[in-house]
Amino acid sequence: MARVFVYGTLKKGQPNYKHMINTAKGLAKFQGRGRTVEKYPLVIAGKYNIPYMLNIPGTGHHVAGEIYSVDDQMLQFLDEFEGCPDMYQRTLMRIEVVEWEGKGGTGEARAGAEGVVECFVYSTMTYPPEWVGLPYHDSYDSSGKHGLSYVLRESR
């Protein structure tokens, strides 16, 4: 099992969360909520209003999201879903645990108690330079006050 931190459309209540609970794609177990230890720019970009975490450590905000424990099948699905490695790159990042629900192993309990876990995160180093000038968000909600609703793939 691997830990994955999601900050965009795959979170609970967001347009692509259905993939996280679709066991045909693999297993994803919600562990808790967290935020990046380092600051990153989270922007909403492109004609489909997709959230992107730009891999520019030290710029932007501590990005909020959810921590999941996923099996190899779900990790492979997420790689394909996120267009890894072209659109997003999967990298290890340190995530501060804000709220921990994970149970089932002393390692997980200890990591939660320490307050920081390492998670795979889909961020991008391949983006148009003008994205750096977009507004930075500390958390993502498709129907947020930014007014940039995400366009589902099936609607494109």
Side-chain angles (χ1 to χ4, degrees):
M1 301 290 279
R3 276 206 188 99
V4 174
F5 176 77
V6 298
Y7 57 83
T9 66
L10 291 166
K11 294 188 309 185
K12 290 180 180 179
Q14 296 304 308
N16 288 317
Y17 176 66
K18 61 187 179 230
H19 299 301
M20 298 300 285
I21 55 174
N22 182 347
T23 54
K25 294 182 167 130
L27 297 175
K29 183 176 178 240
F30 178 75
Q31 298 284 282
R33 294 182 308 107
R35 63 187 196 148
T36 58
V37 170
E38 288 197 74
K39 293 179 177 181
Y40 290 92
L42 172 60
V43 300
I44 302 169
K47 61 183 177 180
Y48 303 121
N49 297 324
I50 296 172
Y52 293 92
M53 184 190 302
L54 308 182
N55 198 336
I56 310 172
T59 301
H61 301 287
H62 299 283
V63 176
E66 298 173 348
I67 302 164
Y68 287 85
S69 180
V70 301
D71 66 7
D72 288 343
Q73 183 184 349
M74 178 59 79
L75 193 60
Q76 184 177 348
F77 165 77
L78 290 172
D79 279 354
E80 292 168 17
F81 182 79
E82 299 288 12
C84 183
D86 300 324
M87 189 158 128
Y88 292 94
Q89 296 79 48
R90 175 166 47 99
T91 56
L92 276 174
M93 289 186 187
R94 296 174 63 232
I95 303 299
E96 176 189 353
V97 176
V98 174
E99 183 182 317
W100 193 254
E101 289 188 18
K103 295 179 181 66
T106 55
E108 288 180 353
R110 187 167 53 248
E114 288 169 9
V116 174
V117 294
E118 279 214 327
C119 299
F120 285 121
V121 180
Y122 293 91
S123 63
T124 185
M125 291 178 256
T126 53
Y127 52 87
E130 59 270 19
W131 286 10
V132 177
L134 293 172
Y136 297 165
H137 304 272
D138 59 359
S139 81
Y140 174 79
D141 183 342
S142 178
S143 55
K145 61 181 184 237
H146 49 71
L148 301 168
S149 282
Y150 174 79
V151 179
L152 285 166
R153 289 178 186 196
E154 43 276 22
S155 303
R156 295 178 189 171

